[in-house]
């Protein structure tokens, strides 16, 4: 016989044994394995949910063991459990001030096993199901669930798995560091040139504003060079003598607090603008990117060479920023939005449109309704649900005038069909009936995206949306209930029976038409009398058949009882009632309290 999944789960959870029956569990596994539609998984989850809802700790303990077996083998079951974690916490751990049901010894065993199983779920499946990790943190820090025993049991039962997971974690970390190094190298090679160009441009601007100290001797060195070139025919001693004669002592006073001193004016304003542009790039783009490179390279061992190059860029950027501060550049301009370049093209003079008197009158008439913005547009005239106010006034003044004139039927067949055709009110399904392409933009306005601009083609409704528009919802109207007639049989008190039943009154039989005195109306024959047996022989045969059926039923009942007595007794669920205390036990409890 084919057993349903609900029966298998009920048999496993209500068996009363501490361990699950292996044969039944294997049978359930085969059912779940051969099911491709996940319907069996959903049925198993619902059956286990019902078992956990029962007010018996032993049933919940068996259901938790079975849920652990299915959880470790089915992804769909894990998704269902993760969605209902808060409720499962209340049923197996007693969270949110919910008490676990009796018996007490099984309730404590259920709480310990639930903590151990949930810790195992987090260790094995926590990376793929983030809610399991969140639930573990909630139980540990909010509900104060003790997982120490669960951790010890898990490590004792499965140390190899923990070592394998640690090895996998280390390999994943090293792989991540390798990918980070490759990405930093690629990003550095891609942006190194632009960073160096920006820094070189800033250095050139600084050199224009404030020359370096070496440039002070540029003119004097050039003079000595020309002198040496003129004395090519002389001796080396003569050259040395000339150079010795040209030596002079020069005193230069430098302010160490502010090496760069320059004020912005009309002549160097262009240089300051260039400095501000490249300074914005260095502060807002290049410096944060270099800092990210340094943070990633600090965690990687084999990156000394690249780290040195990145540190060099970071030092150059910092020096350039300090020089800008020495120049007195205010950094507040970086917070302001950049203005777009002004368009220098001049506007062309275009001739003004000529509007005649009739067009001006028409525009004034169209603007008379400021609430309805689409009033007077051509799109409304194409809408079949819209009607001009003038037509409404004519219909009000001439109610007998027919605005929508229909042409008569062309032949007799069409006339017959029109007579039998149902009358349907006009709606959206009739408006779009038979259409295959419908414009989605019915406003008549151009739709522009803020980034992508306007579309090249007109937006059209999809086939699914068009199918929904061509359908009409018809609501079922419940038929009116029929009046339930009263029994109206004559009671001993002289009144009529007020009971109202559909077919038969439990006191007076079938409900039949009666007059004001409670008597049957003339010409009506009750069904019991109409269907009465025609002879006493048939009645005797019926009684004999009934007696024989009773004897057979009793014999089958005695046989089933004898079979059940010979079978071995199965374990039963523990009772949830508290045992009655005898007088000796009560006396012992009183003595123990006084001590």
């Amino acid at each position: 016989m084919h057993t349903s999944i609900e029966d298998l789960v009920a048999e496993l959870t209500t068996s009363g044994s501490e361990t699950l029956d292996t044969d039944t569990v294997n049978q359930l596994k085969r059912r779940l394995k051969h099911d491709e539609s996940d319907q069996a998984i959903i049925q198993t989850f619902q059956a286990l949910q019902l078992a956990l809802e029962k007010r018996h700790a032993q049933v919940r303990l068996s259901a938790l063991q079975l849920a652990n077996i299915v959880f470790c083998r089915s992804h769909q079951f894990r998704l269902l459990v993760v969605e209902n974690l808060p409720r499962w916490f209340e049923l197996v751990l007693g969270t949110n001030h919910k008490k676990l049901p009796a018996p007490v010894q099984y309730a404590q065993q259920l709480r310990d096993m639930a903590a151990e199983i949930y810790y195992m779920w987090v260790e094995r499946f926590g990376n793929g199901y983030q809610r399991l990790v969140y639930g573990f943190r909630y139980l540990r820090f909010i509900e104060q669930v003790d997982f120490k025993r669960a951790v010890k049991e898990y490590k004792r039962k499965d140390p190899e798995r923990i070592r394998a997971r640690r090895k996998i974690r280390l390999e994943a970390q090293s792989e991540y560091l390798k990918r980070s190094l490759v990405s930093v190298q690629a990003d550095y090679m891609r942006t190194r040139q632009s960073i160096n160009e920006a820094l070189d441009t800033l250095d050139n601007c600084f050199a224009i504003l404030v020359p370096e100290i070496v440039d002070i001797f540029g003119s004097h060195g050039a003079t000595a060079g020309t002198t040496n070139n003129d004395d090519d025919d002389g001796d080396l001693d003569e050259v040395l003598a000339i150079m010795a004669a040209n030596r002079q002592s020069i005193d230069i006073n430098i302010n160490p607090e502010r090496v760069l001193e320059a004020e912005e004016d009309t002549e160097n304003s262009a240089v300051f603008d260039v400095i501000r542009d490249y300074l914005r790039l260095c502060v807002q783009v290049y410096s944060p990117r270099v800092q990210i490179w340094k943070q990633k390279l600090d965690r990687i061992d084999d990156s000394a060479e690249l780290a040195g190059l990145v540190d060099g860029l970071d030092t150059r950027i910092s020096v350039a920023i300090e020089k800008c501060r020495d120049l007195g550049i205010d950094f507040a301009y970086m917070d302001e939005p950049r203005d777009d370049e002004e368009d220098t093209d001049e506007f062309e003079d275009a001739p003004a449109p000529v509007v005649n008197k009739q067009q001006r009158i028409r525009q004034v008439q169209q603007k008379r309704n400021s609430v309805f913005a689409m009033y007077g547009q051509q799109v409304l005239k194409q809408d079949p649900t819209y009607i001009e106010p003038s037509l409404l006034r004519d219909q009000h003044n001439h109610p007998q005038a027919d605005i929508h004139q229909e042409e008569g039927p062309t032949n007799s067949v069409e006339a017959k069909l029109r007579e039998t055709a149902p009358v349907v009110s006009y709606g959206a399904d009739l408006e779009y009936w038979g259409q295959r392409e419908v414009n989605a933009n019915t406003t008549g306005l151009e739709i522009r995206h803020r980034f992508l601009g306007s579309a090249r083609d007109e937006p059209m409704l999809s086939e699914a949306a068009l199918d929904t528009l061509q359908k009409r919802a018809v609501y079922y109207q419940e038929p009116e209930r029929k009046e339930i007639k009263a029994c109206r049989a004559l009671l001993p008190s002289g009144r009529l029976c007020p009971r109202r039943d559909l077919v038969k009154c439990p006191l007076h039989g079938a409900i039949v038409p009666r007059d004001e005195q409670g008597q049957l109306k003339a010409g009506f024959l009750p069904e019991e009398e109409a269907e009465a047996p025609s002879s006493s022989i048939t009645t005797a045969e019926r009684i004999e058949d009934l007696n024989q059926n009773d004897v057979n039923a009793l014999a089958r009942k005695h046989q089933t009882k004898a079979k059940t007595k010979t079978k071995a007794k199965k374990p039963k669920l523990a009772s949830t009632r508290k045992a009655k205390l005898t007088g000796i036990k009560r006396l012992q409890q009183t003595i123990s309290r006084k001590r």
Side-chain angles (χ1 to χ4, degrees), residues 18 173 186 229 241 293 312 376 382 430 478 504 532 594:
E18 295 184 359
Q173 185 177 2
N229 292 330
W293 293 346
Q382 299 176 0
L430 297 180
E478 186 179 0
K504 186 176 182 180
K594 290 182 179 180

Side-chain angles (χ1 to χ4, degrees), residues 43 47 66-67 120 124 133 273 302 355 363 422 526:
Q43 294 178 2
L66 183 58
M120 184 266 293
R124 291 184 59 182
V133 181
D273 292 339
D302 304 333
V355 181
Q363 291 176 1

Side-chain angles (χ1 to χ4, degrees), residues 355-370:
V355 181
N356 54 20
K357 185 177 180 181
Q358 295 181 355
Q359 292 180 353
R360 189 179 296 108
I361 293 173
R362 191 180 298 111
Q363 291 176 1
V364 172
Q365 290 178 354
Q366 290 178 358
K367 293 180 180 179
R368 60 186 176 184
N369 192 347
S370 59

Side-chain angles (χ1 to χ4, degrees), residues 371-480:
V371 178
F372 188 30
M374 295 183 63
Y375 177 82
Q377 295 187 9
Q378 189 66 23
V379 181
L380 288 179
K381 297 181 180 180
Q382 299 176 0
D383 190 358
T385 61
Y386 173 78
I387 186 171
E388 288 286 343
S390 58
L391 296 178
L392 290 175
R393 286 195 300 269
D394 296 339
Q395 185 178 5
H396 179 72
N397 296 332
H398 307 283
Q400 297 180 356
D402 188 10
I403 298 175
H404 302 284
Q405 297 180 0
E406 298 182 356
E407 298 179 357
T410 55
N411 49 26
S412 58
V413 177
E414 185 177 354
K416 292 180 181 179
L417 292 175
R418 285 180 178 274
E419 292 177 359
T420 57
V423 179
V424 181
S425 60
Y426 187 80
D429 55 342
L430 297 180
E431 180 182 353
Y432 296 103
W433 189 264
Q435 297 186 19
R436 292 302 175 189
E437 293 184 358
V438 177
N439 192 353
N441 182 15
T442 58
T443 61
L445 304 175
E446 182 182 3
I447 299 177
R448 294 181 59 86
H449 194 268
R450 59 181 299 187
F451 301 123
L452 303 179
S454 59
R456 296 181 179 178
D457 301 330
E458 290 292 335
M460 308 302 292
L461 289 179
S462 60
E463 295 184 359
L466 196 55
D467 291 342
T468 23
L469 287 176
Q470 293 177 357
K471 294 179 183 178
R472 175 176 297 196
V474 180
Y475 298 95
Y476 173 74
Q477 296 181 357
E478 186 179 0
E480 298 181 359

Side-chain angles (χ1 to χ4, degrees), residues 148-164:
K148 294 181 180 179
R149 183 175 178 276
V151 174
K152 291 180 180 179
E153 289 294 327
Y154 179 74
K155 291 182 177 180
R156 182 181 62 83
K157 291 181 180 179
D158 205 354
E160 294 293 335
R161 185 182 296 275
I162 295 177
R163 285 194 290 270

Side-chain angles (χ1 to χ4, degrees), residues 228 231 234-244:
N228 293 334
D231 295 337
D235 244 351
L236 179 61
D237 296 334
E238 295 179 359
V239 174
L240 294 175
I242 294 172
M243 293 179 64

Side-chain angles (χ1 to χ4, degrees), residues 90-159:
E90 295 177 358
L91 296 176
V92 299
L93 289 169
T95 59
N96 294 333
H97 307 288
K98 298 292 180 66
K99 294 184 179 180
L100 296 178
V104 181
Q105 65 273 17
Y106 288 104
Q108 185 61 36
Q109 188 176 354
L110 172 64
R111 188 179 290 104
D112 296 339
M113 183 177 290
E116 181 181 347
I117 288 176
Y118 189 74
Y119 181 78
M120 184 266 293
W121 288 357
V122 173
E123 287 293 324
R124 291 184 59 182
F125 306 101
N127 294 333
Y129 305 89
Q130 197 65 26
R131 287 189 182 181
L132 292 177
V133 181
Y134 296 154
F136 177 75
R137 295 174 184 172
Y138 168 75
L139 293 176
R140 185 179 177 183
F141 298 108
I142 305 301
E143 296 292 340
Q144 303 295 328
V145 177
D146 188 10
F147 285 96
K148 294 181 180 179
R149 183 175 178 276
V151 174
K152 291 180 180 179
E153 289 294 327
Y154 179 74
K155 291 182 177 180
R156 182 181 62 83
K157 291 181 180 179
D158 205 354

Side-chain angles (χ1 to χ4, degrees), residues 64 70 75 100 171 210 212 230 239 241 251 257 272 288 301 318 339 384 460 469 507 595:
L64 181 61
V70 185
H75 167 69
L100 296 178
E171 291 177 356
V210 180
E212 295 184 359
D230 295 335
V239 174
D251 296 333
E257 296 181 356
F272 274 92
D301 298 332
S318 302
D339 297 333
M460 308 302 292
L469 287 176
L507 302 176
R595 288 179 181 177

